[in-house]
Amino acid sequence: MIKKLFNFKTKDKVYYSYLISYLVIGILPIVISLFVFVNYGQVVMKDIRESQSYMLSQLKNNFDDNLETVIKTSQLLSENDKINSLMNRKNFSKKDLLEVWKLKDDINTVKNSINFCSEIFVYFYGNDNIVSNTKLYSSEINYIFADTYQLTKDQLLEAVNIPQYQGYKIIQNDQGYKTILFLQNVYSYNYKDKLATIVTVVPWKNIAGNIATINEGQIYWINSNNQILEGDETVVSNDEISYEDYVNENQLIFTGSGKVKHVNSFINSRYYDFKYCITIPQRYYFKDFNNLKQVLILQLIVMVALSVLLARYYSIKNYKPISKLIALLRKNKKAAKDYLNFENMESYIDNLYKENQSLSNSWYQAKDALYNQVISSFIKGWNYDLTVLEDLISTNSKVTLNKSYITMVISYMDISDCNLFIGINDSDKEKTFQLLKFVFKNIFEETILSKYPGFFCDIDGMHLCIINVNDDMTKNETLAYDIRKCLSIYKKLLNLKVNIGASRVHKGAEDLPKAYNESTQVLSFQSFWGKDFETFAFYEETNTHHDTLNNSDSMLNEKQKKLYNLVNAKEYEKAVDLLNQILDETFVKEVQFMDMNQCRMYGLINTVYNCLSDTLGRSDVEFLKQLNLMQRMLKANSIDSIRNILNGIFKDIIDHFKECVTNEHPKWIQEIIHFVDDNYDDPNLNVSILADKLNMNLSYVGRTFKSYTGYGITDLIHMKRVEECKKRLILGESVREVAESIGYLDSKSLIRIFKKYEGITPGQFKSNCENEIIKLA
């Protein structure tokens, strides 16, 4: 066979036709590889920016949540009535010790809610005392507390003393372990005098353990003082880079010299002056660059050699019957009668037909692959040659990119329910999928492309269709009607659900990547909103204009505050109704707000998770573990999924608490609730009066009531007054009149309490209600 192969006459036209065909097919990967080689640096730099930006965004979401937790808990402690009472004392008397003990319990409760915090303490400037979550340190023994941090008393006071309202300090002990002190100052009523500082102590090792590890490189924090908080190994030091070098988040920063060079990038924290940074050795990204040239040369040699061999082999194999037939016919008439018969001729011609048919199929498949590759390369930015793209499209279809056109990206939603896959074995699924693609394209061509000039190609596992349109098609919605009719055929005939996203009308080949991006955005939009949106949509239909975006933000914040209070009060049925209201009213159905909607969704998950963890963690830790909150919530990827998951979680909680409701509650708890309902307008109503009425110990009454209800008696009184305030404000009463009628001595007290529980002032609440009434009218 080899001997025949190399004895073939290479001047034969058949051989050259095969050779040219294989060279044309094989030259495209060479051209792409050459283009990648020439632009390798830019491609790598882009990949570095994208990969590092993704890692930094994940890091920011994780650690900003930690910082936000510290800030919110510090603000919550700053409003603690016990701190406000004790910080005005010049010295703690024996009567104050009970208040100090209660404050210590409150601090310890907050500390236990922050798993990465080692200690929380409050320093009172007026009496030089320190109250931590474990004990009280008077002025005389403060040095003992300071010594636990290997500091003198003066050094400790200098560390916690900052001029601004909030801040932090980083301290380091003799062993090199770093600790972050998050500081919250508490001022007098007129904000002139600083009376106390709340200090949340966070050992850096507790946070460093959560920093993602990478094979090569390092993730670290840096602040404006060039203090670096790193993981297990320090790669970047203050000598190599400083805080001022990190200016542009979208720009890579190169450090080092010689063989040791690093690529750095960063992202700003939402809180304080922290910047989250990542540094990776440059060789990690460019280690394959030197081998790329040898690969290109080898690829070219293999392609040419393979093309020559295949051209020789198939030209001999396919055309041997014809060659032999011609040779027989050239013999003399007598020899032909003795040797030639019609059976041999029929066999030769049949073989020729089959081989040519196979070659034709292979040619069309290679042509389609080349077609898809050229369009995909242009859309993804690998090839910028407009002439090649326009010539290819105009040669193989009736579409002209210089005229108005739209792109449609088509994606199968779920093929498991398709009729073609019923009873199919796993081994036959690939062939069945190819059959599905053939049937799908055939139906689309018959219903759509037979009426409108367009063509099909495949890209990223989806179908891309480009259609020339005119104003009549879009204004009269004839195209939309035909596409929806086509989708109906897919559903009825194949039980196949398909999503189609269509771009705006574009003109010119240079707009093709933009049109494709718009179509894929519509697909993402459809996937996020699920059944709430149609399976076919134009980009304009997902891009209406809203002037109420800022209002929706404030509405979301207000409703999240209410949701937190409802869960904290264990009013889970109301919480479910409010949750569904949030999902229906505060998410914007516009394609350009997809990122914002996803952030809102995960922010809502974070609110519910933190609140449920706090509430259930105090009363039923085992049930909290059984709920498996985080694992369930992380499965959410659309509005439908988050709605089903959160409603399922609340249903489990409601069912659990219904089972747990027994006669174990003391009767006096219900008596307190009824008494507050009847006497909430009494200005003197407090825990002490209720304890005296029951002839019970004050501390026991408060502690027991909270353990059964999840909130304190003081909270009960304020919540009742706030609910009554809202009713009276709706009826038109002024804030001052309402304050006097529900038990507050002045309107300032009412405003402070109302904002604490509702997130807005009474005036803002009244204004919102009036605006809603105007809208309804």
Side-chain angles (χ1 to χ4, degrees):
M1 180 64 190
I2 298 297
K3 183 176 179 181
K4 293 181 178 180
L5 190 66
F6 286 96
N7 286 334
F8 181 73
K9 296 181 179 180
T10 57
K11 293 183 179 180
D12 196 313
K13 294 181 180 180
V14 177
Y15 164 76
Y16 285 115
S17 65
Y18 271 96
L19 180 61
I20 293 172
S21 300
Y22 285 119
L23 288 175
V24 169
I25 296 172
I27 199 65
L28 182 61
I30 302 295
V31 173
I32 295 176
S33 299
L34 184 61
F35 178 80
V36 171
F37 175 76
V38 174
N39 297 277
Y40 184 76
Q42 296 180 358
V43 173
V44 170
M45 296 295 288
K46 181 179 179 182
D47 288 343
I48 294 173
R49 284 196 297 271
E50 291 179 353
S51 63
Q52 292 194 0
S53 296
Y54 175 77
M55 294 178 66
L56 287 172
S57 64
Q58 299 298 315
L59 179 71
K60 177 180 179 179
N61 292 337
N62 186 13
F63 291 112
D64 273 3
D65 287 345
N66 293 342
L67 294 180
E68 182 179 10
T69 300
V70 171
I71 291 172
K72 287 186 177 180
T73 53
S74 298
Q75 290 176 343
L76 181 64
L77 275 177
S78 68
E79 298 176 2
N80 189 287
D81 54 355
K82 302 176 185 61
I83 292 180
N84 294 325
S85 174
L86 293 172
M87 68 183 182
N88 294 314
R89 307 279 200 277
K90 292 185 177 180
N91 290 296
F92 290 166
S93 63
K94 293 183 178 179
K95 295 181 179 179
D96 296 326
L97 293 181
L98 178 59
E99 196 77 4
V100 171
W101 184 261
K102 293 179 180 179
L103 174 59
K104 179 185 73 67
D105 288 342
D106 290 346
I107 296 175
N108 191 53
T109 300
V110 174
K111 183 262 176 188
N112 291 335
S113 68
I114 309 175
N115 57 2
F116 52 85
C117 169
S118 65
E119 186 173 31
I120 299 178
F121 66 88
V122 182
Y123 175 73
F124 295 93
Y125 290 92
N127 49 51
D128 195 30
N129 287 333
I130 294 177
V131 178
S132 73
N133 56 287
T134 57
K135 64 187 299 185
L136 164 66
Y137 295 87
S138 62
S139 176
E140 293 79 7
I141 62 173
N142 279 352
Y143 71 92
I144 299 176
F145 180 78
D147 188 59
T148 60
Y149 295 100
Q150 296 182 2
L151 300 173
T152 64
K153 177 179 177 180
D154 292 338
Q155 289 174 333
L156 177 64
L157 297 183
E158 181 182 357
V160 302
N161 187 12
I162 58 173
Q164 61 268 30
Y165 178 63
Q166 287 180 333
Y168 71 93
K169 289 287 183 67
I170 299 175
I171 61 176
Q172 184 172 346
N173 61 16
D174 296 339
Q175 289 77 31
Y177 295 113
K178 297 178 182 178
T179 301
I180 308 177
L181 305 179
F182 292 99
L183 309 175
Q184 170 85 40
N185 288 328
V186 184
Y187 295 88
S188 59
Y189 181 75
N190 56 9
Y191 290 94
K192 291 184 178 180
D193 300 321
K194 181 167 58 177
L195 302 179
T197 297
I198 301 169
V199 183
T200 304
V201 182
V202 178
W204 174 244
K205 63 180 181 180
N206 292 352
I207 294 181
N210 294 325
I211 293 182
T213 58
I214 50 182
N215 294 331
E216 297 189 50
Q218 180 70 30
I219 296 174
Y220 57 95
W221 298 14
I222 190 171
N223 65 7
S224 57
N225 295 325
N226 282 332
Q227 293 175 297
I228 294 177
L229 298 172
E230 67 281 342
D232 296 333
E233 298 179 2
T234 304
V235 174
V236 176
S237 67
N238 303 65
D239 297 333
E240 293 179 330
I241 199 164
S242 66
Y243 184 85
E244 289 73 17
D245 293 326
Y246 291 111
V247 178
N248 188 349
E249 291 186 1
N250 297 319
Q251 182 177 355
L252 296 175
I253 304 168
F254 295 87
T255 59
S257 60
K259 294 184 178 179
V260 182
K261 293 183 180 180
H262 295 91
V263 183
N264 307 270
S265 58
F266 77 99
I267 189 170
N268 286 303
S269 171
R270 297 196 304 268
Y271 307 101
Y272 304 121
D273 60 346
F274 286 122
K275 291 183 178 180
Y276 306 130
C277 312
I278 182 173
T279 177
I280 295 178
Q282 186 172 337
R283 58 178 170 76
Y284 176 77
Y285 295 105
F286 292 90
K287 56 186 176 182
D288 296 328
F289 185 75
N290 295 329
N291 298 325
L292 187 56
K293 183 184 296 184
Q294 287 79 359
V295 172
L296 276 173
I297 296 173
L298 179 61
Q299 187 178 6
L300 180 61
I301 294 173
V302 171
M303 186 272 294
V304 173
L306 190 61
S307 297
V308 171
L309 291 175
L310 289 175
R312 286 175 178 267
Y313 175 76
Y314 281 108
S315 60
I316 293 174
K317 180 179 178 181
N318 290 341
Y319 287 89
K320 184 178 178 181
I322 290 294
S323 301
K324 191 170 182 178
L325 179 61
I326 293 174
L328 291 174
L329 292 175
R330 285 176 177 175
K331 290 186 177 182
N332 57 51
K333 190 174 183 180
K334 182 178 180 181
K337 289 181 179 179
D338 296 337
Y339 184 79
L340 186 63
N341 60 64
F342 289 102
E343 292 181 0
N344 290 336
M345 292 179 60
E346 183 179 2
S347 175
Y348 296 146
I349 294 174
D350 184 57
N351 290 338
L352 174 64
Y353 174 77
K354 291 180 180 179
E355 294 296 341
N356 283 348
Q357 189 177 40
S358 176
L359 180 62
S360 176
N361 293 335
S362 300
W363 169 255
Y364 282 117
Q365 291 176 2
K367 180 182 176 182
D368 290 342
L370 177 63
Y371 195 49
N372 294 337
Q373 189 66 36
V374 171
I375 295 176
S376 176
S377 299
F378 185 83
I379 288 176
K380 295 180 179 180
W382 298 344
N383 178 23
Y384 299 98
D385 195 334
L386 293 175
T387 304
V388 172
L389 178 69
E390 292 173 346
D391 291 344
L392 181 68
I393 293 178
S394 60
T395 303
N396 294 275
S397 68
K398 298 179 181 179
V399 174
T400 304
L401 295 182
N402 292 327
K403 296 182 180 179
S404 298
Y405 66 89
I406 64 169
T407 65
M408 291 186 293
V409 176
I410 306 166
S411 173
Y412 304 130
M413 293 301 296
D414 186 4
I415 63 173
S416 60
D417 295 331
C418 178
N419 295 337
L420 296 178
F421 287 86
I422 297 177
I424 297 298
N425 299 326
D426 293 339
S427 58
D428 296 330
K429 284 186 177 180
E430 179 62 28
K431 294 181 180 179
T432 306
F433 182 70
Q434 296 301 323
L435 175 62
L436 172 63
K437 291 173 63 176
F438 173 79
V439 174
F440 180 91
K441 289 183 178 181
N442 185 264
I443 294 175
F444 199 90
E445 289 171 353
E446 290 295 327
T447 55
I448 305 298
L449 299 185
S450 61
K451 296 182 180 180
Y452 310 98
F455 71 89
F456 243 98
C457 67
D458 296 330
I459 179 171
D460 293 337
M462 301 179 292
H463 300 305
L464 172 64
C465 181
I466 302 178
I467 296 179
N468 280 129
V469 296
N470 53 47
D471 293 338
D472 293 336
M473 294 180 188
T474 54
K475 290 181 180 179
N476 298 333
E477 296 187 351
T478 55
L479 177 61
Y481 172 79
D482 289 333
I483 292 175
R484 292 188 174 95
K485 181 180 178 181
C486 182
L487 291 176
S488 176
I489 294 175
Y490 291 139
K491 184 64 178 176
K492 293 179 180 178
L493 182 64
L494 302 174
N495 194 29
L496 178 66
K497 185 178 179 181
V498 178
N499 272 0
I500 301 180
S503 70
R504 292 179 293 188
V505 177
H506 291 271
K507 189 175 183 180
E510 63 276 3
D511 277 0
L512 184 58
K514 182 178 180 181
Y516 174 77
N517 185 52
E518 290 174 356
S519 301
T520 55
Q521 287 185 45
V522 175
L523 284 184
S524 299
F525 181 83
Q526 292 168 326
S527 176
F528 181 83
W529 287 103
K531 63 183 180 181
D532 291 339
F533 210 81
E534 292 190 28
T535 55
F536 167 72
F538 286 101
Y539 185 81
E540 293 89 341
E541 297 174 354
T542 63
N543 192 22
T544 58
H545 294 285
H546 285 264
D547 297 327
T548 58
L549 183 58
N550 292 330
N551 292 336
S552 67
D553 285 335
S554 60
M555 183 190 304
L556 178 62
N557 293 332
E558 177 184 345
K559 292 185 181 297
Q560 281 187 324
K561 176 70 175 178
K562 290 182 180 180
L563 179 65
Y564 191 97
N565 290 335
L566 288 173
V567 175
N568 194 44
K570 296 186 178 180
E571 297 184 7
Y572 296 114
E573 288 86 353
K574 294 182 179 179
V576 172
D577 295 337
L578 179 59
L579 178 65
N580 288 313
Q581 185 181 359
I582 291 174
L583 294 173
D584 291 334
E585 296 179 359
T586 60
F587 285 78
V588 184
K589 287 189 176 181
E590 293 188 24
V591 69
Q592 75 266 31
F593 293 121
M594 280 295 298
D595 292 339
M596 184 196 71
N597 284 332
Q598 291 174 344
C599 291
R600 284 184 171 182
M601 181 179 72
Y602 289 114
L604 183 62
I605 289 174
N606 184 59
T607 298
V608 175
Y609 176 78
N610 290 335
C611 186
L612 291 177
S613 297
D614 292 343
T615 303
L616 298 177
R618 293 194 299 265
S619 60
D620 199 337
V621 177
E622 291 301 322
F623 177 61
L624 176 62
K625 292 180 180 179
Q626 295 175 9
L627 276 179
N628 204 16
L629 289 177
M630 183 56 70
Q631 285 77 4
R632 292 170 70 176
M633 289 183 176
L634 287 178
K635 295 179 180 179
N637 56 12
S638 66
I639 286 295
D640 286 340
S641 61
I642 186 59
R643 187 191 302 274
N644 294 334
I645 289 172
L646 291 182
N647 282 331
I649 290 173
F650 276 103
K651 181 179 182 302
D652 292 343
I653 296 173
I654 293 170
D655 293 342
H656 173 74
F657 276 94
K658 284 182 179 179
E659 293 177 2
C660 294
V661 172
T662 63
N663 295 325
E664 295 178 1
H665 287 198
K667 294 181 180 179
W668 57 265
I669 290 181
Q670 199 62 36
E671 293 178 8
I672 288 178
I673 295 175
H674 290 320
F675 188 83
V676 171
D677 288 340
D678 296 335
N679 300 277
Y680 65 88
D681 54 351
D682 183 359
N684 298 318
L685 182 63
N686 55 37
V687 181
S688 178
I689 291 177
L690 293 170
D692 292 341
K693 177 178 174 61
L694 297 171
N695 293 322
M696 298 174 68
N697 178 269
L698 174 64
S699 176
Y700 172 77
V701 169
R703 184 174 64 255
T704 306
F705 185 90
K706 189 172 184 178
S707 67
Y708 278 105
T709 63
Y711 50 87
I713 296 177
T714 303
D715 291 324
L716 173 66
I717 296 171
H718 287 319
M719 289 190 293
K720 178 63 181 177
R721 288 174 176 174
V722 167
E723 288 299 319
E724 187 64 26
C725 171
K726 289 159 66 175
K727 296 178 183 178
R728 294 172 183 263
L729 289 173
I730 294 174
L731 294 176
E733 295 185 23
S734 67
V735 176
R736 182 179 59 80
E737 292 172 342
V738 174
E740 294 175 353
S741 63
I742 64 174
Y744 290 112
L745 298 179
D746 52 46
S747 58
K748 291 182 180 179
S749 299
L750 172 59
I751 292 172
R752 178 173 55 83
I753 296 299
F754 193 96
K755 188 171 184 179
K756 175 182 177 182
Y757 285 91
E758 293 295 321
I760 57 175
T761 64
Q764 291 172 331
F765 174 81
K766 186 175 182 180
S767 176
N768 292 342
C769 292
E770 291 174 351
N771 292 335
E772 290 296 328
I773 293 174
I774 293 174
K775 290 180 181 179
L776 293 174

